[in-house]
Amino acid sequence: GAVVSQHPSRVICKSGTSVKIECRSLDFQATTMFWYRQFPKKSLMLMATSNEGSKATYEQGVEKDKFLINHASLTLSTLTVTSAHPEDSSFYICSARDRGRGPGELFFGEGSRLTVL
Amino acid sequence: AQSVTQLGSHVSVSEGALVLLRCNYSSSVPPYLFWYVQYPNQGLQLLLKYTSAATLVKGINGFEAEFKKSETSFHLTKPSAHMSDAAEYFCAVSGSGNTGKLIFGQGTTLQVKP
């Protein structure tokens, strides 16, 4: 089956630093990837849609200058949390769409837990 | 606009009992519907999906769901709960325009008691 890998799975950083999270589709090409944020005991909030070779589309209320998304190839998208603050601490999950499968079906990474001290 | 409502944020059943997790959707176009499961500190795994074929959909781990257009529902069931079924379950609807974007419900925590 389709596999999506996220790295790192856990990261702790100091306030004011930047953190990069990688999302890779290992056995398929993903022209579109999605980045979600999940708060404790809450559902997934879509942050942005990442399209290979073009700018990401951000959801309303998500700061694009704070959450930088780059989709440089068909198998890699990155999320960079810039100048991180404690309120950015969360579980970030990426997902990728396999063009060869049905609409809407996404494959999810294992998630990355960010803790900002 | 599309949306999903999961009734009951927490469901508790005994091992061996029927599992029923409720999901109602709202969509102006024929929807694609999904159930995902999430174990602690992990990503989401697809349980099953409805994409306008058979209304009764069978998924992994013994789960199934029935699409009922008249009730705008897509409830998830399993005849006999197992301890390993304890997890968070999310119902989702595919966004309009075939963008691949998923809109998730609030999630239901399933607890299985021995």
Side-chain angles (χ1 to χ4, degrees):
Chain A
V3 178
V4 175
S5 177
Q6 257 183 267
H7 179 81
S9 58
R10 292 177 182 270
V11 57
I12 300 173
C13 70
K14 294 182 178 180
S15 185
T17 61
S18 295
V19 174
K20 179 184 286 188
I21 300 170
E22 293 186 346
C23 178
R24 294 181 183 273
S25 57
L26 299 185
D27 51 2
F28 67 97
Q29 293 183 334
T31 54
T32 305
M33 291 185 173
F34 302 90
W35 286 95
Y36 291 85
R37 181 174 179 176
Q38 186 177 33
F39 295 94
K41 305 297 184 182
K42 296 290 185 181
S43 186
L44 284 77
M45 181 192 79
L46 179 65
M47 298 175 65
T49 301
S50 171
N51 298 299
E52 187 265 337
S54 64
K55 291 183 178 180
T57 302
Y58 289 83
E59 296 298 305
Q60 191 173 9
V62 178
E63 298 177 62
K64 62 180 181 180
D65 294 331
K66 181 165 191 60
F67 298 100
L68 300 180
I69 292 173
N70 183 274
H71 195 152
S73 75
L74 286 173
T75 59
L76 174 65
S77 176
T78 60
L79 167 67
T80 301
V81 182
T82 62
S83 186
H85 290 282
E87 57 266 30
D88 299 326
S89 298
S90 193
F91 194 55
Y92 294 88
I93 305 176
C94 74
S95 65
R97 180 183 179 190
D98 183 349
R99 292 184 301 179
R101 300 200 183 224
E105 182 173 349
L106 301 180
F107 296 91
F108 286 80
E110 310 95 326
S112 299
R113 184 162 301 282
L114 170 63
T115 302
V116 184
L117 303 177
Chain B
Q2 295 175 301
S3 65
V4 170
T5 301
Q6 290 183 240
L7 301 176
S9 60
H10 189 98
V11 171
S12 181
V13 300
S14 298
E15 190 174 20
L18 171 71
V19 175
L20 171 60
L21 304 182
R22 300 178 186 273
C23 172
N24 287 87
Y25 69 91
S26 173
S27 177
S28 57
V29 298
Y32 295 118
L33 294 160
F34 307 81
W35 275 100
Y36 283 86
V37 60
Q38 183 183 32
Y39 297 99
N41 293 312
Q42 294 186 26
L44 277 67
Q45 180 183 10
L46 180 67
L47 279 177
L48 49 81
K49 61 181 178 180
Y50 166 76
T51 56
S52 75
T55 56
L56 181 61
V57 181
K58 295 186 181 298
I60 62 172
N61 301 339
F63 285 94
E64 62 182 39
E66 186 172 6
F67 172 72
K68 292 186 177 180
K69 183 178 179 180
S70 60
E71 300 178 6
T72 61
S73 68
F74 190 57
H75 302 331
L76 181 71
T77 61
K78 181 174 180 177
S80 177
H82 192 272
M83 296 296 292
S84 61
D85 294 326
E88 190 78 17
Y89 292 81
F90 293 96
C91 182
V93 61
S94 181
S96 60
N98 197 24
T99 62
K101 185 187 299 186
L102 284 182
I103 300 165
F104 285 90
Q106 306 90 320
T108 298
T109 302
L110 176 64
Q111 180 186 21
V112 182
K113 299 177 180 178

